[in-house]
């Protein structure tokens, strides 16, 4: 079982910033040369949506339109940590945020699925983000 553990959630006023972190199982880094890591979120009563993703083959990133220009995803290969820097937070960013990994499959498919936030097969437990007025 691949472990993904999120941290950094909390309450912040609108316009503020917050950085989420995800500690990833060493297995991911040792077993796969190319894979995708991403952040998803789910607000109460809403479907889960992809927020940001990064493909390790070329470090290309993808963002949901609603967060583009405000959020930055990054992957630290040294300490195996995925981060999501969230700036200019809005009330509608309130949600449970999940770290996820897309492992396996051929690199071309993985890259395409990564960009579309499809087929992620490993998930963390989530960390809550609440944006207040």
């Amino acid at each position: 079982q691949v472990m993904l553990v999120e941290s950094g959630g909390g309450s912040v006023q609108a316009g503020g910033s917050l950085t989420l972190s995800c500690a990833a199982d060493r297995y991911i880094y040792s077993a796969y040369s190319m894979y995708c890591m991403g952040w998803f979120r789910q607000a109460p009563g809403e479907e889960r949506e992809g927020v940001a993703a990064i493909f390790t083959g070329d470090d290309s990133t993808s963002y949901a339109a609603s967060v583009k220009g405000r959020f930055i995803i990054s992957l630290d290969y040294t300490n195996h940590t995925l981060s999501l820097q969230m700036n200019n937070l809005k009330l509608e960013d309130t949600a449970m945020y999940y770290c996820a990994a897309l492992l396996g499959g051929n690199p071309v498919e993985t890259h395409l699925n990564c960009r579309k936030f499809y087929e992620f097969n490993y998930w963390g437990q989530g960390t809550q983000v609440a944006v207040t007025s």
Side-chain angles (χ1 to χ4, degrees), residues 11-99:
S11 182
V12 62
Q13 282 194 321
S17 298
L18 205 61
T19 298
L20 305 182
S21 297
C22 173
D25 197 298
R26 187 169 191 151
Y27 167 77
I28 296 176
Y29 297 84
S30 60
Y32 297 92
S33 59
M34 283 187 276
Y35 52 91
C36 178
M37 298 287 294
W39 290 96
F40 289 73
R41 68 186 182 187
Q42 187 167 20
E46 302 288 333
E47 291 191 359
R48 186 170 59 193
E49 63 171 346
V51 174
I54 182 166
F55 177 63
T56 64
D58 59 3
D59 285 337
S60 58
T61 56
S62 301
Y63 294 92
S66 59
V67 306
K68 203 167 187 178
R70 300 188 296 122
F71 289 12
I72 301 172
I73 188 171
S74 60
L75 182 56
D76 186 328
Y77 294 95
T78 301
N79 62 17
H80 307 170
T81 300
L82 180 74
S83 297
L84 183 68
Q85 181 181 337
M86 305 185 294
N87 302 313
N88 189 21
L89 282 160
K90 303 177 180 181
L91 297 177
E92 52 265 38
D93 293 320
T94 294
M96 184 71 80
Y97 283 72
Y98 298 91
C99 173

